[in-house]
Amino acid sequence: METPTRTTAIVRGVPDTFHLAIRPEGSAQPIDVRLATRQHESYCYSLSSMGLELARIDADDRYPDCLYVEDTAIVVGDKAFIAPMAAESRRGESNAVEAKLREFKCVQHLTPPATLDGGDVLQVDRRLYVGLSRRTNAHAIDQLRTALEPEKYEVVPVRVQDILHLKSACTYLGESTVVMLAGHLDEQPFAGLRKIPVQPTEAHAANCLALNGLVLIPAGAPETRARIEEMGFETEEIDISESRKAAGGLTCSSIVF
């Protein structure tokens, strides 16, 4: 199974209110918004250098988490799906994203009581692993399954625990290979895939972004990076320290297709 070539990335600016973004329980580190903005521009530069055309959306200070555009929608083939977000403070983020997606895709809506964050959806070929988390529920999985069944996509629920999203603990690199942080998800659905283990001391490295032959990996994870390279992947390190303070990973700040 090969990761298809991606051509477009939807990205959104860092709001001036980013320091008010939803934080992990017990997190006390202040977010430096100016540094976050510089890091995000470096992230966008990396995406461009990987051959992606950026479709930019302006930040909206009403929504401190709007940088994390991935959570607002998922793209599967020529369709995009938008669902109510479980975090009520974030629900208004989807409007601008939907308008941008309509330039590229046919947009469909999942309906209540479904809730879905894109960070819970991991696509491997024609299979969608969907995390059952605090943000994504079984109603969303059922509606996705019904919508995608005619196109022969398989939707597989995955239980996650003690972590925000499925892709906080597992991401796909291509070539039937995932990086995985054990203990936070049911691993059985991933039988048959090669697994690169991530140590708890480098937990943030379970969220990598593999695009067009290159794996972006967050700074500060030398052991995980070495393991990924040992499996034959080319890597590039990128610093997203401020995003990490709000539980953000590399996949969170773009929708790629």
Side-chain angles (χ1 to χ4, degrees), residues 64-137:
D65 295 270
C66 67
L67 167 67
Y68 300 132
V69 67
E70 175 188 49
D71 288 332
T72 62
I74 64 169
V75 171
V76 185
D78 62 356
K79 296 180 179 178
F81 295 91
I82 291 177
M85 302 177 76
E88 291 187 17
S89 64
R90 299 195 60 189
R91 289 183 181 173
E93 297 174 27
S94 300
N95 296 329
V97 177
E98 177 175 353
K100 181 61 68 174
L101 277 169
R102 287 191 181 278
E103 299 177 16
F104 304 95
K105 302 291 180 179
C106 176
V107 176
Q108 298 185 17
H109 286 262
L110 306 187
T111 58
T115 62
L116 176 76
D117 273 13
D120 277 317
V121 182
L122 177 63
Q123 183 172 352
V124 178
D125 196 35
R126 299 188 72 83
R127 175 177 291 178
L128 271 67
Y129 297 96
V130 183
L132 282 166
S133 70
R134 290 173 290 175
R135 300 289 183 87
T136 299
N137 63 24

Side-chain angles (χ1 to χ4, degrees), residues 180-182 196-206 221 223-224 227:
M180 183 175 289
L181 179 65
I196 298 175
V198 176
Q199 297 302 313
T201 54
E202 296 183 354
H204 63 291
E223 184 173 343
T224 303
R227 290 178 176 180

Side-chain angles (χ1 to χ4, degrees), residues 140-213:
I141 290 173
D142 290 342
Q143 291 183 34
L144 276 177
R145 184 178 287 124
T146 299
L148 292 170
E149 185 176 15
E151 298 174 48
K152 308 301 181 184
Y153 283 93
E154 182 182 5
V155 178
V156 180
V158 181
R159 294 202 171 274
V160 302
Q161 60 185 13
D162 301 324
I163 207 157
L164 182 59
H165 291 130
L166 172 61
K167 282 195 279 193
S168 303
C170 181
T171 43
Y172 185 57
L173 305 184
E175 300 180 14
S176 301
T177 304
V178 293
V179 285
M180 183 175 289
L181 179 65
H184 293 280
L185 72 163
D186 178 6
E187 297 185 23
Q188 194 281 327
F190 298 92
L193 294 177
R194 298 191 301 173
K195 301 176 184 67
I196 298 175
V198 176
Q199 297 302 313
T201 54
E202 296 183 354
H204 63 291
N207 185 276
C208 295
L209 181 57
L211 293 168
N212 302 344

